[in-house]
Amino acid sequence: MTETTSTEEAATDAVIRAQALRLATDLLTRWTERPHGTPGTPADETPTGDPAVPVLAALLAETGEPSAVAAAARATAVWARGAGRGGGGRRGLYGGGLAGTLVGLRHAAAVHPELHAVADRLRDRLLADSPGPVPYGSVTFPDYDLVLGPSGVLLALTAGLDRCGPTVDLAPYADRLATLCDAPELDGLRARYAGHALLDWMDGRVNTGMGHGVAGVTVALTAAVRHLGARPEWVNALRNAVRWLSAQAFTDARGVRTWDGAGLDGVAPPPGARTRQAWCYGTPGVSWALWDAADALGDAATAAWADEAFTTLAGGYDEEFHLFGDHPGDRLGLCHGASGVLAVADAFHRYAAPHPAASVLRTRLLRHLSAREDELRELADARTGLLGGAGGALSAVLTATGGTRGWLPCLGLR
C-alpha cells in the first residue's frame, strides 16, 4: 500500500467514523428513551441480555466525546437493570443467553466499573455449569455451536481471561468440542434434524458455517489453543476441523472459492454462483476460521490457502448480488450482511497484512454502509442487537475505523 493510499484511507476512515459516532450516539439515546428502556419490548425485536448496547456504549465511551460518553453511561445503566431478565437460563452467546449477557456486562463495566462484580458472578456460574454429556453424531445446534452452544460460551469466557481465574476451569467447554471433532470426518458433528420444519436439510450432515457449524467450532478451538495452551487433544481436534473444512471447498460460477451450508458428503456441489457470502455462511467466515486456526497452529501452507480463498471473494464480491433480503438487517447486519463481511475483511487487513484485496474490500464496505444512513436508522428502530441489528453494524464500523476490538471474539474474530 502506498503512502498516498494510506493517507486517503485514513481520511475516509475519519469521515465515516465521525458519521458512525453520531449515528451510534443517537441510537443509544433513542433506545434509552423507549418504554421500559430495554430490548424485548414491542419496539425492539432484540432479546434482553443481547450485548449490542453495552458493546456500542463502550466504543462510544472510549472516544471521550462528552455527548457520546453521556449517552453510553445512560444506556448501559438501563441495559444493566434489565440484563438478568429472560433467556431461560440458557448458556448461549446469542438469543438472550448467559454468555452474551456476560460479554455485555464486561463492556458495560467499561462505563460503570461496579458491574465487573456482577460479571464475575455470572462468569463463575458459567464455569460451574459445564456442558453435559456429548450427543456424539446426533447433535443439534445448541450442543456445539457459536450462537447457542459451547463454542460461543468458550469464546465469551476467553474474551475475559484477564479476570477469569484459573484457566483449567474452561477446559470442559474445549474438551466437549474436541470430543466432537476427534475423527477426521467429524462424525461427532453429524446433526439430528429429521422432520424439522426448517432444518431437515441438515439431518445426518455436518454444518460448515460460522454461526452453526464447523467454522464456529474451529474459532472456539483456536481460542482455546491460543489462550489456554496447546493440549494434544485440542490440537488434534483443531487439525481435523481444518482438514475437513478445507476439503469441502469448491469454486463457484463467479470464481469464488466457497462453501455450501453443509459438507459435500462426496457429492459434487450444484452448479452456479453462491449468493450467501457472509460471516455466517460462505467464504468470509469460513476462510477466516481456517486462516486463524492455521496461524495458531503454525501451518503456513493452510494459512496461505485460506488467504487465497478470501482473496477470490474480495475480488469477486458484488454488493448487488451478495447482499440481499427484505429486511435491512439481512443486508447490513453482522450475520448476513455488509457489516459482517466488513469485520472479516478488517481482520484480514490487520492480521494477514499485507492483504491488498482485504484492504480494498474493507474500504468499499465502509463506504457502502456510510451511504445507507437511512437504512441503518430504520434498522435501529426494529433491531438493536449484535448479530442482526444496528448495534452490531455500527460497532463493526467503529471498530474498523479505530475502535476497541475486545468484543470481536463474539464473532470468532480478533
Side-chain angles (χ1 to χ4, degrees):
M1 183 180 292
T2 67
E3 184 176 343
T4 301
T5 303
S6 297
T7 301
E8 292 172 351
E9 181 184 275
T12 297
D13 283 8
V15 170
I16 293 172
R17 180 172 178 79
Q19 178 195 30
L21 285 169
R22 175 172 49 81
L23 283 171
T25 301
D26 187 48
L27 182 156
L28 289 186
T29 299
R30 292 163 60 197
W31 179 86
T32 304
E33 292 171 351
R34 288 176 184 168
H36 311 295
T38 58
T41 68
D44 195 330
E45 300 171 14
T46 307
T48 299
D50 183 280
V53 165
V55 165
L56 191 58
L59 284 158
L60 289 184
E62 71 178 357
T63 69
E65 198 282 319
S67 63
V69 172
R74 290 192 299 268
T76 50
V78 171
W79 180 90
R81 287 199 293 271
R85 305 171 191 163
R90 294 188 298 271
R91 297 189 189 92
L93 183 50
Y94 295 101
L98 296 175
T101 302
L102 173 62
V103 170
L105 286 167
R106 289 290 184 223
H107 285 79
V111 184
H112 299 287
E114 65 272 18
L115 290 174
H116 272 307
V118 183
D120 288 344
R121 290 195 294 272
L122 181 53
R123 174 206 63 201
D124 293 344
R125 175 177 173 182
L126 284 166
L127 291 173
D129 187 22
S130 60
V134 178
Y136 193 93
S138 185
V139 295
T140 58
F141 293 157
D143 294 321
Y144 67 91
D145 78 3
L146 187 156
V147 172
L148 303 169
S151 292
V153 178
L154 180 57
L155 288 169
L157 289 167
T158 56
L161 275 180
D162 58 329
R163 298 183 61 89
C164 202
T167 57
V168 69
D169 290 334
L170 305 188
Y173 290 100
D175 288 344
R176 182 188 186 96
L177 300 178
T179 297
L180 291 170
C181 296
D182 65 351
E185 293 304 311
L186 303 188
D187 299 313
L189 286 173
R190 294 203 173 270
R192 174 177 50 81
Y193 276 113
H196 192 284
L198 299 176
L199 296 172
D200 186 70
W201 65 277
M202 269 299 306
D203 191 53
R205 307 182 72 189
V206 178
N207 193 287
T208 63
M210 182 69 92
H212 297 302
V214 176
V217 174
T218 298
V219 294
L221 284 169
T222 299
V225 169
R226 278 193 193 281
H227 298 299
L228 310 179
R231 298 190 184 188
E233 63 272 26
W234 298 351
V235 170
N236 178 66
L238 185 55
R239 292 190 186 280
N240 285 339
V242 166
R243 284 191 291 264
W244 184 90
L245 266 180
S246 300
Q248 310 312 310
F250 58 92
T251 300
D252 78 357
R254 289 187 169 226
V256 176
R257 183 182 296 166
T258 193
W259 288 258
D260 277 339
L264 298 174
D265 290 322
V267 178
R274 299 305 191 263
T275 53
R276 179 64 77 209
Q277 295 294 349
W279 170 83
C280 58
Y281 284 111
T283 303
V286 179
S287 65
W288 168 261
L290 285 170
W291 184 88
D292 199 35
D295 183 60
L297 293 169
D299 181 351
T302 299
W305 187 90
D307 185 295
E308 182 183 321
F310 188 79
T311 298
T312 69
L313 181 279
Y317 193 76
D318 181 346
E319 291 88 338
E320 297 299 318
F321 180 76
H322 291 122
L323 296 174
F324 61 94
D326 295 331
H327 196 286
D330 290 324
R331 302 187 298 273
L332 303 178
L334 286 172
C335 191
H336 295 166
S339 61
V341 183
L342 165 64
V344 175
D346 185 59
F348 272 106
H349 163 77
R350 292 173 187 275
Y351 294 105
H355 201 308
S359 301
V360 169
L361 182 57
R362 169 192 173 277
T363 299
R364 275 175 58 189
L365 289 168
L366 280 170
R367 289 173 173 159
H368 179 88
L369 288 158
S370 176
R372 282 153 181 80
E373 180 172 336
D374 289 345
E375 285 187 81
L376 284 167
R377 289 185 180 278
E378 177 189 350
L379 178 57
D381 288 338
R383 299 178 189 172
T384 306
L386 205 65
L387 275 190
L394 288 170
S395 294
V397 173
L398 291 172
T399 296
T401 55
T404 181
R405 306 183 72 81
W407 65 279
L408 288 174
C410 290
L411 302 178
L413 303 175
R414 54 186 172 104

